[in-house]
Amino acid sequence: RRLASPVHGRIGRVSLMHSALSPALLAFKKALPAAHGRVGRVSLALDAASGIARLVLRNRPHANALSSSMMVDLSEAIDRLEQWDAGAAVVLSGEGGTFCAGAALNDGALSSAEMGALFSGLMSESLTRLRRLPLVSVAAIDGAAIGGGAELATATDWRLFAPGARVQFVQARMGVSTGWGG
């Protein structure tokens, strides 16, 4: 995390170890978008002048549910944030009045138990890395953060809620545990 010096008001970094993805997850991460096409995207904008990054979930027709390609995008965006020396903060949001409806359960790439386990591992690793970023992280929640979206929101340092926004861990009603470590 970033620490402010009480004497000089300067900001410095605390050194963190980056845990590498397993070779199987890394290979899967690289192969998936070409194999299954693209549904939605995660965009990252870095503003060097302010040190603030914007990470936006863009899958409006599906309430910003994370497709397999978006999960890969998120992991790659976190890769970039880990290397961004000018960064001070990252703001995570969803477009169109919804934060994130969790995993896109209709994504064909997530239809088998093996693929589901691989993506659960990828997302668990991604959220752990998001939590450990040496940046202040903020989830700007407009609308719903449901299931995996709630897990994504709780991986940030701060959560800001628009009027009427809500966070729901629906996994309990489904009889399953949180799949991404939330």
Side-chain angles (χ1 to χ4, degrees):
R1 302 282 175 218
R2 292 207 169 250
L3 301 175
S5 165
V7 177
H8 303 293
R10 297 175 53 116
I11 295 178
R13 289 188 186 247
V14 174
S15 176
L16 298 171
M17 285 288 277
H18 168 67
S19 61
L21 292 173
S22 72
L25 279 175
L26 191 57
F28 188 75
K29 178 177 140 179
K30 290 196 180 304
L32 187 76
H36 290 283
R38 169 158 296 280
V39 175
R41 65 188 172 93
V42 176
S43 64
L44 175 64
L46 307 175
D47 183 342
S50 68
I52 298 173
R54 289 257 329 174
L55 192 56
V56 182
L57 307 176
R58 299 183 186 279
N59 191 4
R60 184 181 280 176
H62 303 284
N64 296 322
L66 291 170
S67 65
S68 53
S69 58
M70 290 175 70
M71 292 177 192
V72 171
D73 287 350
L74 179 63
S75 178
E76 290 173 348
I78 295 168
D79 290 345
R80 287 188 59 204
L81 290 168
E82 288 171 331
Q83 302 304 314
W84 190 36
D85 291 331
V90 58
V91 178
L92 174 62
S93 63
E95 73 174 0
T98 301
F99 181 72
C100 179
L105 299 178
N106 61 350
D107 186 333
L110 303 176
S111 61
S112 74
E114 180 182 70
M115 297 295 274
L118 283 172
F119 271 111
S120 181
L122 177 63
M123 286 303 294
S124 179
E125 177 75 17
S126 293
L127 296 190
T128 297
R129 291 173 47 223
L130 177 62
R131 253 189 300 282
R132 292 180 179 169
L133 280 175
L135 309 168
V136 174
S137 58
V138 178
I141 302 170
D142 186 17
I146 300 171
E151 293 184 70
L152 182 58
T154 60
T156 61
D157 299 319
W158 297 92
R159 285 150 295 283
L160 299 174
F161 293 83
R166 69 185 195 282
V167 174
Q168 290 181 287
F169 283 90
V170 296
Q171 295 90 331
R173 279 191 273 141
M174 298 169 67
V176 297
S177 66
T178 56
W180 301 344

